[in-house]
Amino acid sequence: MKIPVASLLPDEISGSLSLRHKYQGTQIFKWVQSGTLEFQNMTNLSKELRRTLYEKLYISSGLENTLTGSDGTVKLKIKLEDASFIEAVLLTDRNGRKTACLSVQAGCGMGCAFCRTGKMGLKRNLKSYEIVEQMLLLVSGYGRITNIVFMGMGEPLENLENLRRAVEIFHHPGGCGISFRKITVSTCGIVPKMYDMAENGPHTRIALSLITADPVLRSMLVPANRRYPLKETKDALLYYQKKTGKRITLEIVLLKGVNDRAEDMESLLKFIPPLKVVVNIIPWNPAEDIHFKEPSPSEVLRFKNRLVKAGVAVTERYRRGRGINGACGQLCVIDPALK
Ligand code: SAH
Ligand code: SF4
């Protein structure tokens, strides 16, 4: 049986092929991680070795199609071995900085009320090589990527082992060499796994989909809150911050008339200290069959200004990729198996 090469480290490549020279594993790793997905194009390897690679290794995912938005955002629809589909997005900012937004599950089982992926339910966890292959398809098509956010489909901390391996590959200096501070894991707050990350790494940045610090409302919008209440979640964030020294991102998907009330602001301001945070305001992106309202730009600004006035660092997520349903929470591939 062929071995999926994407999530193998250099030594594992040498080992699995019983290569005579260890450096060959390093060469192959570099080719793969720089997006060369055809073994015959690995031109510094002998023809014989390339044939061996072809016989023993493979890339499991295929590119189904690509959508490019008017703002340059690219969304790949990717077909997995079992014919499930997932999506990966590439965002390029004004300075040319490229961020990959990767998926960790086909679907998601966490059921957040405002999220399109949540409506799909969970089909399955992705393998580590399926997570890495999204990046390889992006790198192969669009060149070097500087940042990674795990904000595509699925809940990263429900698939921590495979996430961990994928991050190890992305971080490896012989491949993309992306530092942990340029990788963000976004979670709806799976508390025991947050401690696991604090203890055992990877020490990436963490973003919590807080949405609101009002416990009753949060339990309605983010069902994970019923298992892991806000106090426990905050303790886990404090612990992570103490261990890693990293600032935490709090994501607030702004839902007009729902979590933009004065009492939401009040509970948010109470929730924050002594955490060091940046609050990321994400105007809700409409998604089919989900009945919330998006806030107007002036309502977003008002919410933002209230935080700024209170001395909180705020960023607003730019609305990219909406035209191609590639924005946050819009990632959803209608999979016949789920109908
Ligand atoms: N499961 C993880 C990561 C994937 S969701 C999490 O929930 O954090 C990535 C981000 O998209 C999260 O911050 C989530 O709250 C946000 N999101 C989900 N649906 C959205 C929507 N319709 N509009 C805007 N943001 C949304
Ligand atoms: Fe899953 Fe995140 Fe969507 Fe919630 S917001 S359903 S955790 S993908």
Side-chain angles (χ1 to χ4, degrees), residues 85-102:
F85 290 99
I86 52 161
E87 294 173 331
V89 173
L90 180 71
L91 303 148
T92 307
D93 72 11
R94 270 182 247 114
N95 307 317
R97 191 179 61 173
K98 294 200 194 100
T99 300
C101 175
L102 305 182

Side-chain angles (χ1 to χ4, degrees), residues 167 171 178-184 202-205 246:
V167 169
H171 183 62
I178 301 183
S179 70
F180 290 144
R181 75 195 149 79
K182 295 198 167 173
I183 301 178
T184 303
H203 287 170
T204 63
R205 295 188 55 140
K246 291 200 162 70

Side-chain angles (χ1 to χ4, degrees), residues 213 234 263-275:
K234 181 171 170 178
E263 51 264 52
D264 293 295
M265 180 57 63
E266 213 173 289
S267 54
L268 176 57
L269 292 176
K270 262 202 212 127
F271 178 82
I272 293 174
L275 279 168

